[in-house]
Amino acid sequence: MLLRQYGAGGPPVSALAFGAMGIAFDSALRAGVSRSLLHALDHGVSLIDTARVYRDSEEIVARTLRAWRGERPLISTKLAPANRDGFRFGGPIGDFYRKQDIIRSVHQSLAALGTERLDIVHLHQWHYRWTHELEWLETLTGLKSEGKIGLISVSGQDHEHDALLELVSRGLVDGVQIIVNLFESRPMNSLLPRAAECGVGVIARCVLDSGGLTGELTDAAFEGRPFLKHAPAAEYRRRVAALARKFVPASADSVADLAIRFVFSDPAVSTLTLGMSSPQEVDAAIAAIEAGPLPADTVTAIRRDHVWTKNFYEALV
């Protein structure tokens, strides 16, 4: 597995990370281990991305790692906010991440994951004004000095990647996590180059747009995906078909292959996190990474002609 540096001062990480949200919703794993995660670890994936609010994802990760006999991977998790309204509505950061909330969430994750140190810790959402309310950072820095956490990061709010620009430019965090995909390439204009200049690590998420970029979806499949069910299905399929006509197989083997390689093509992306529910999905993602970046003219054409400014998450409130 190809490694990339997580920012200027962070560790090398596999270019593909295992996104562990999906395993929390797999009823078959309630008391077991994730075979897809074990398969990913067997094939060189060295970073697991989870969160405190992903049901029992951290516990499943812990059980799986106890069954794993190789070198321990890095773990990235996200803090649980005191108020879940923070995922949509802004307000003073004290309404969502007070000092005691941060400390409690870190200790809960440490216990659930069965570890003495969390490698990367994120605030799970972000609003621009919090750049100027830094008690959260003081608390995390204190936990870092105690050895409880390694790197401090922030997960950007939905498609509001530019709200992280000042945070990155001021060097307040070690890393960020943002949405980047075939339709959401705008971070390549601003946040990604700035992160590279400032030595900030980047985890790209929603690379397959919550499943939409795996290929053609039926109406039933749209309805069954919480992050896509409010999308205009016909328009979504039209845009996916346009990508396929232009770039498959000319530049990639499939839309999913195109999507993964597009994000991988930006060297500012330290790693991209994917929810992979089977060993076959792991193998397909690794094959896309191993195929390498897309041709530069393909990346340019996608950024120029296929950006789609949208936010289906708003309808989840």
Side-chain angles (χ1 to χ4, degrees), residues 241-251 301 304-306:
L243 284 162
R245 282 195 305 272
K246 179 69 175 178
F247 303 112
V248 179
S251 299
R304 183 186 62 228
D305 300 330
H306 295 273

Side-chain angles (χ1 to χ4, degrees), residues 19-255:
M21 182 174 75
I23 62 176
F25 297 88
D26 186 344
S27 59
L29 295 178
R30 286 290 179 264
V33 302
S34 168
R35 308 311 302 179
S36 58
L37 175 52
L38 284 174
H39 188 76
L41 295 171
D42 278 334
H43 288 78
V45 170
S46 66
L47 177 65
I48 302 170
D49 183 58
T50 183
R52 189 77 204 114
V53 301
Y54 294 167
R55 294 187 179 178
D56 54 354
S57 171
E58 291 179 330
E59 289 81 1
I60 296 171
V61 168
R63 288 198 299 270
T64 304
L65 290 181
R66 285 196 291 271
W68 165 243
R69 294 294 176 260
E71 183 177 349
R72 179 187 179 277
L74 298 171
I75 297 176
S76 160
T77 194
K78 307 174 196 73
L79 302 175
N83 183 346
R84 294 291 293 276
D85 282 345
F87 286 103
R88 170 54 46 216
F89 301 107
I93 195 166
D95 291 350
F96 308 101
Y97 290 104
R98 297 167 298 176
K99 180 177 182 178
Q100 60 266 37
D101 300 323
I102 291 172
I103 293 173
R104 179 177 62 252
S105 188
V106 165
H107 281 274
Q108 288 173 339
S109 287
L110 287 168
L113 288 161
T115 185
E116 296 181 353
R117 180 177 180 269
L118 304 172
D119 300 296
I120 305 173
V121 169
H122 299 74
L123 293 194
H124 202 149
Q125 72 270 9
W126 184 255
H127 298 284
Y128 172 78
R129 65 183 289 186
W130 295 355
T131 311
H132 306 281
E133 302 172 9
L134 294 180
E135 185 180 359
W136 63 273
L137 183 57
E138 295 168 2
T139 303
L140 286 172
T141 300
L143 290 164
K144 187 175 184 178
S145 67
E146 294 173 16
K148 303 289 187 184
I149 66 176
L151 302 172
I152 298 171
S153 187
V154 163
S155 182
Q157 179 77 16
D158 296 353
H159 297 268
E160 299 172 16
H161 42 270
D162 282 355
L164 298 167
L165 275 170
E166 185 175 357
L167 188 72
V168 167
S169 294
R170 291 172 59 188
L172 296 178
V173 292
D174 301 303
V176 293
Q177 184 168 155
I178 56 169
I179 294 174
V180 190
N181 59 50
L182 293 169
F183 294 139
E184 181 54 289
S185 59
R186 294 175 299 165
M188 294 178 174
N189 301 330
S190 53
L191 185 62
L192 286 175
R194 191 63 182 140
E197 292 165 357
C198 297
V200 172
V202 176
I203 297 176
R205 73 174 189 272
C206 298
V207 172
L208 296 178
D209 205 22
S210 299
L213 294 172
T214 56
E216 292 291 335
L217 292 175
T218 64
D219 289 341
F222 270 94
E223 186 61 30
R225 295 176 182 268
F227 296 110
L228 279 181
K229 67 180 181 180
H230 300 289
E235 176 64 9
Y236 199 103
R237 283 197 291 267
R238 184 190 72 78
R239 289 176 179 269
V240 171
L243 284 162
R245 282 195 305 272
K246 179 69 175 178
F247 303 112
V248 179
S251 299
D253 292 337
S254 65
V255 172

Side-chain angles (χ1 to χ4, degrees), residues 282-296:
V282 172
D283 290 341
I286 290 174
I289 293 291
E290 290 178 342
L294 294 172

